[in-house]
Amino acid sequence: MYKQLEERDQTRPPVNVSTLMRMKAEGEPIACLTAYDASFARLVDDAGTDVVLVGDSLGMVIQGHDTTVPVTVDDIVYHSRAVARSLRHAFLMADMPFMSFSSAQQALENAVRLMQEGGAMMVKLEGGASQVNIVEHLAGHDIPVCAHLGLRPQSVHKIGGFKVQGRENEQARQMLADARALEAAGADVVLLECVPNEVGKAIRDALNVPVIGIGAGPDVDGQILVLYDVLGITQGPMPRFVKNFMLDSATPIDACAAYVSAVKDRSYPAPEHCFS
Ligand code: KIV
């Protein structure tokens, strides 16, 4: 890891938690993508991506499952390790899979595996107020944490499908309260999935830490998409927020660079990618 850090391109200093806080404060949108292997990780890093997520979406786009539920800690460690070898600039976040953080002790053990074996610099976990003690425990051990709110794909069987969250006032109010509680517990980043624009904006305005959206509208601090959706590899019906950047690009790296610049100049997401 130290060798890898030394070899990073110092003309584009590596992104860290302070960089993300500064970007929020200065209003510079944070461009994030998923990656699952060394070759794509190099490509998204070279394209200027700020944060790379080894998401449990790998269960769907790499392993062919219908949901993220079957993904294990071993799976994330394996893919994260491959991605970590390629990154020179981007900050590496890795997902805590389903049931890998059901107690504070289990969460700590698995987060340590993602960081020590997988090279992750931050772990992401899905959950609302019920995860406050877990976030507090991880933060208390200096583990950077991203709290994932809104649509939580690991809860798909409980929710009854991949549905927009926070459309009802009470649900939106609860999500805002959860976001505040998670920030107070030590979350360094909040990720919001599939919520109406106004919920994205309200949570972004309420928090000091960066809020990254996927289907959360334009008024958040950054955007994230699944790489295979950006490259038009994923087949079948797409969620509204997806944009295939390969359609206007000659090569995969051009498509990733077009995504990064569209996030930075706020031309993505456009109204057709948003929920009301
Ligand atoms: O697993 C994943 O790729 C994610 C993103 C969709 C945010 O959580």
Side-chain angles (χ1 to χ4, degrees), residues 33-41 44 52-62 75-76 78-84 95 225-229:
L33 279 171
T34 66
Y36 316 100
D37 69 28
S39 300
F40 276 123
V44 303
V52 171
L53 169 68
V54 179
D56 60 0
S57 52
L58 70 85
M60 299 169 83
V61 299
I62 302 282
D75 292 333
I76 299 284
Y78 173 87
H79 289 278
S80 185
R81 191 187 281 153
V83 167
D95 251 338
L225 281 177
V226 168
L227 177 64
Y228 289 19
D229 296 346

Side-chain angles (χ1 to χ4, degrees), residues 130-154:
S130 56
Q131 306 306 335
V132 161
N133 69 318
I134 306 281
V135 171
E136 213 160 39
H137 194 60
L138 296 179
H141 288 81
D142 286 343
I143 293 179
V145 180
C146 171
H148 182 149
L149 293 174
L151 172 60
R152 291 177 277 126
Q154 290 171 14

Side-chain angles (χ1 to χ4, degrees), residues 15 42 52 70 84 96 107 122 141 143 152 154 176 191 209 215 222 230 233 238 258 268:
V15 175
R42 172 57 67 90
V52 171
M96 303 278 289
M122 174 177 280
H141 288 81
I143 293 179
R152 291 177 277 126
Q154 290 171 14
L176 177 57
L191 188 145
V209 298
V230 166
I233 294 170
M238 286 295 131
Y268 174 83

